[in-house]
Amino acid sequence: MQHFASDNYAGICPEALAALLAANEGHVRSYGDDEWTLRAADRLRQVFDTDCDVYFVFNGTAANSLALAALCQSYHSVICHQLAHVETDECGAPQFFSNGARLLAVAGEQGKLTPAAISEVVTRRSDIHYPKPKVVTLTQASEVGTVYRPQELRAISETARGLGLRVHMDGARFANAVAGLGVSPAELTWRAGVDVLCFGGTKMGLPVGEAVIFFDRRLADDFAYRCKQAGQLASKMRFLSAPWLGILENDAWLRHAAHANAMAQRLASGLSGIAGLQLLFPVDANGVFVQLPSRVEQGLRGRGWLFYTFIGAGGARFMCGWDTAAETVDRLLADIRQLSGEQ
């Protein structure tokens, strides 16, 4: 049975698995000095159409935390949305790895920051008793399934630059944002003023692993040492990097993201036709948030469906993955209709 609690539930996609198995042949150099890692990094440079520094780490929390630590000192602060993963779900890791940099969480409609909100936080205080704002972190796609358009990113980046801030992007679902908007990865990152991207691989079908991409290479100074100290330097690095090569070649990553987005649209369309249900946010990527009556929520759980109700701004969250089948979506919708009394 497929579930909708998280796009992490899905297994390894075929392209990543094939590359992983191919990398298992023979002896190769360790700690990233291998052809798979070098080729995957070069392929990412091609995808983003720029010369950038690339590092592969085990998970998103490490990627975000180490990237933010590279951008600020312990006496600095990081501006984030109040629903951002770095604020709600990383167990204080950004503060830990930065030796104490504070997160300044602010509100914003549809899970997104605005230039005005960022300016208000920075200009609120400038005395030495307050942690100096240094970084803006954006979640793409957001924790409620919305996406930042290129013009929104440019406006935020321009504001950040004017205030002396760097821009970090938590791209756990960056692929879904790219597929949903139909723009190039470059337009959603460095061309829009993003300094560092944590590019999520796990939710795209990788077994494990994220890529930290520095578009401003000067900011990556000593980042390899951060990875080593944090236990993120894999000795058999090829097993982190080879699956990336598998999904990047022939644009499998975009196809899988587009499919997940399409399944979310299928689900949202079906839900909008059921009386008494309300979609809470626009469905821009692969997540659907809906307010369910308690009898429907309890009934779905009783029938074995798994989904979260504590993420975002309330309601039930249904995440679609690279392998979500249309039949699974239709079966879920049929159960919701039946529990809602429409059948």
Side-chain angles (χ1 to χ4, degrees):
M1 184 176 183
Q2 292 185 321
H3 294 286
F4 293 89
S6 173
D7 34 2
N8 287 324
Y9 277 37
I12 307 174
C13 69
E15 299 86 354
L17 183 58
L20 181 65
L21 293 174
N24 197 39
E25 295 294 327
H27 283 207
V28 301
R29 294 177 181 271
S30 56
Y31 296 108
D33 188 21
D34 62 89
E35 64 170 304
W36 297 97
T37 301
L38 297 175
R39 286 169 56 200
D42 282 341
R43 183 71 183 104
L44 281 167
R45 294 181 183 106
Q46 293 172 1
V47 167
F48 287 92
D49 194 28
T50 189
D51 187 20
C52 49
D53 268 359
V54 179
Y55 300 84
F56 297 101
V57 298
F58 289 102
N59 56 48
T61 294
N64 287 330
S65 302
L66 294 174
L68 290 173
L71 298 178
C72 60
Q73 300 292 330
S74 59
Y75 50 85
H76 287 143
S77 56
V78 177
I79 301 169
C80 66
H81 193 276
Q82 63 186 8
L83 299 178
H85 202 267
V86 294
E87 166 70 6
T88 64
D89 289 280
E90 293 188 346
C91 197
Q95 296 93 321
F96 176 81
F97 283 103
S98 64
N99 293 315
R102 182 180 173 186
L103 296 179
L104 301 178
V106 300
E109 292 185 3
Q110 299 185 353
K112 295 191 284 186
L113 292 175
T114 64
I118 294 167
S119 295
E120 193 280 326
V121 172
V122 176
T123 58
R124 184 185 303 163
R125 288 178 62 178
S126 60
D127 58 275
I128 200 169
H129 304 287
Y130 194 69
K132 183 179 180 180
K134 188 66 174 180
V135 184
V136 173
T137 179
L138 307 171
T139 310
Q140 180 77 308
S142 79
E143 292 297 327
V144 295
T146 55
V147 301
Y148 289 93
R149 271 67 179 173
Q151 61 269 28
E152 293 176 294
L153 293 172
R154 287 193 294 269
I156 288 172
S157 296
E158 289 173 5
T159 297
R161 290 289 181 272
L163 295 169
L165 309 178
R166 292 292 187 175
V167 180
H168 162 265
M169 179 174 284
D170 175 356
R173 297 184 177 93
F174 179 76
N176 300 97
V178 173
L181 291 173
V183 299
S184 72
E187 291 301 315
L188 287 184
T189 52
W190 63 273
R191 285 180 181 156
V194 173
D195 294 303
V196 185
L197 167 70
C198 293
F199 191 0
T202 309
K203 294 174 175 61
M204 292 192 294
L206 269 61
V208 64
E210 319 289 301
V212 183
I213 303 174
F214 287 86
F215 299 108
D216 184 343
R217 303 185 71 150
R218 295 170 298 177
L219 300 174
D221 187 36
D222 286 344
F223 192 75
Y225 288 88
R226 291 187 184 275
C227 292
K228 174 62 178 180
Q229 186 182 64
Q232 294 296 315
L233 178 61
S235 55
K236 297 185 179 181
M237 183 68 78
R238 68 188 187 276
F239 297 122
L240 280 184
S241 57
W244 276 96
L245 201 59
I247 64 171
L248 291 173
E249 291 183 343
N250 301 315
D251 290 334
W253 67 286
L254 277 178
R255 291 196 303 275
H256 290 318
H259 172 78
N261 291 358
M263 292 301 98
Q265 288 293 338
R266 186 185 188 97
L267 177 59
S269 178
L271 291 171
S272 64
I274 301 175
L277 302 188
Q278 177 186 0
L279 293 176
L280 299 177
F281 302 99
V283 181
D284 292 338
N286 62 322
V288 180
F289 289 77
V290 60
Q291 194 69 53
L292 294 176
S294 59
R295 71 179 186 281
V296 176
E297 178 186 329
Q298 294 170 12
L300 289 175
R301 296 193 189 282
R303 296 185 183 193
W305 292 105
L306 300 181
F307 55 94
Y308 290 148
T309 54
F310 67 90
I311 294 178
R317 187 193 79 164
F318 295 90
M319 295 302 305
C320 297
W322 70 267
D323 66 342
T324 300
E327 294 80 6
T328 305
V329 174
D330 294 343
R331 190 165 66 250
L332 173 65
L333 286 169
D335 279 352
I336 293 175
R337 292 191 189 98
Q338 188 177 70
L339 292 166
S340 299
E342 290 199 2
Q343 290 182 348

